[in-house]
Amino acid sequence: MNIHPTAIVDPAAELDSSVEVGAYTLIGPHVKIGAGTKVGPHVVIDGHTTIGRDNSFFQFSSIGAPNQDKKYAGEPTKLVIGDRNTIREFCTLNIGTVQDRGETTVGNDNWIMAYCHLAHDVVIGNECVLANNATLAGHVRVGDWVTIGGLTGILQRMRIGDHAMIGFQAHVAQDVPPFMTVDGNPLAARAVNIVGLKRRDFSSERIGVIRQIYKLLYRSGHTLDEAKAGIAALRGSDSGAADGDIDLMLNFLAASMRGIVR
């Protein structure tokens, strides 16, 4: 184990022998860190925090601190971070609350840039990018392959669907459906996230169906219920290649409590 002599690691913390810990870093007693993870200098990792393999934490981040919910009374809630995440300078990731799932969760292969904040009970999926100063309030749910632009604020309990892209300096006060690119002030859906889908090897057939979904939701003049019926009717088109994408969208819309970005 490569621990700088100025770092303070509680004897009760569980660190794999391959973990690296930088100068002046503090690691609390309930922390578990998996193989290959590198913790830079001046990082604080506390709380009931479990961290997987091959993560990288840059200097001055605060990981697993008590949440900022005024109802929090010291309950042993959690922060769980998966594998191969990069967390840059001055990020703050808080533990969960007993009022929700009791856990803040970060999946695998995420790129979280400087000054980002993940509040209590936030869930981040896999392969997401959060640009500098993205701020996620409590209980936010973010799917897989999501890109969130810099200086974006996401209101509590919002949901961001898989493959969505949120532009720079957005104020997100409604759910963002899968596959959509949203930006502007007020926030609005602009198009399908074509570039992102092509990078993930979506076929032209699947992208074509997703474009039809976008038109039904945003360009047809339909009510939401009419749009959902039209989306359901797309099942089986193009040999059914996009049926999973159709189901993903319909399930997202059915679960939306705050309405979707229009």
Side-chain angles (χ1 to χ4, degrees):
M1 196 179 303
N2 184 6
I3 299 178
H4 193 276
T6 62
I8 299 175
V9 179
D10 192 285
E14 299 178 25
L15 277 60
D16 184 86
S17 60
S18 61
V19 170
E20 298 181 16
V21 180
Y24 301 103
T25 282
L26 305 178
I27 296 179
H30 305 296
V31 174
K32 300 178 181 179
I33 303 179
T37 290
K38 298 179 179 179
V39 183
H42 297 278
V43 175
V44 177
I45 304 180
D46 204 1
H48 289 77
T49 296
T50 300
I51 297 168
R53 301 175 58 92
D54 300 315
N55 295 283
S56 183
F57 294 86
F58 282 67
Q59 54 268 27
F60 305 110
S61 288
S62 175
I63 309 299
N67 59 67
Q68 298 178 85
D69 190 317
K70 294 175 76 173
K71 298 183 296 297
Y72 181 65
E75 300 91 349
T77 53
K78 301 177 182 179
L79 168 66
V80 176
I81 298 172
D83 303 330
R84 299 176 303 279
N85 297 286
T86 297
I87 298 174
R88 294 298 305 243
E89 299 85 351
F90 297 98
C91 288
T92 53
L93 281 63
N94 294 165
I95 58 174
T97 64
V98 295
Q99 286 77 29
D100 192 353
R101 56 201 303 273
E103 179 179 304
T104 302
T105 306
V106 177
N108 303 322
D109 302 294
N110 296 292
W111 187 262
I112 301 176
M113 299 186 196
Y115 293 93
C116 286
H117 175 64
L118 274 58
H120 56 84
D121 306 294
V122 163
V123 177
I124 303 289
N126 306 309
E127 302 281 0
C128 296
V129 175
L130 279 63
N132 299 59
N133 287 100
T135 300
L136 280 59
H139 318 285
V140 168
R141 303 288 189 267
V142 177
D144 298 334
W145 297 100
V146 170
T147 299
I148 300 175
L151 296 170
T152 288
I154 302 181
L155 191 67
Q156 63 182 5
R157 303 188 187 279
M158 294 300 102
R159 298 164 59 248
I160 314 300
D162 294 359
H163 305 285
M165 181 172 184
I166 301 173
F168 170 75
Q169 209 170 21
H171 170 217
V172 181
Q174 289 181 299
D175 294 342
V176 178
F179 313 116
M180 300 297 121
T181 295
V182 299
D183 72 353
N185 187 13
L187 195 67
R190 304 299 181 183
V192 172
N193 183 15
I194 299 291
V195 173
L197 299 183
K198 287 182 176 178
R199 287 175 177 170
R200 288 154 219 154
D201 296 321
F202 275 58
S203 67
S204 57
E205 291 81 7
R206 289 176 69 187
I207 292 174
V209 173
I210 292 168
R211 278 177 157 161
Q212 293 181 63
I213 291 172
Y214 168 77
K215 290 177 182 177
L216 286 165
L217 274 176
Y218 293 108
R219 294 292 180 263
S220 65
H222 291 328
T223 66
L224 183 57
D225 285 341
E226 290 169 341
K228 288 192 288 187
I231 292 168
L234 294 173
R235 289 194 182 101
S237 58
D238 291 307
S239 304
D243 281 4
D245 307 314
I246 292 167
D247 290 342
L248 177 67
M249 177 62 78
L250 289 174
N251 290 337
F252 184 93
L253 296 175
S256 179
M257 302 297 291
R258 300 295 183 94
I260 63 170
V261 171
R262 302 301 292 183

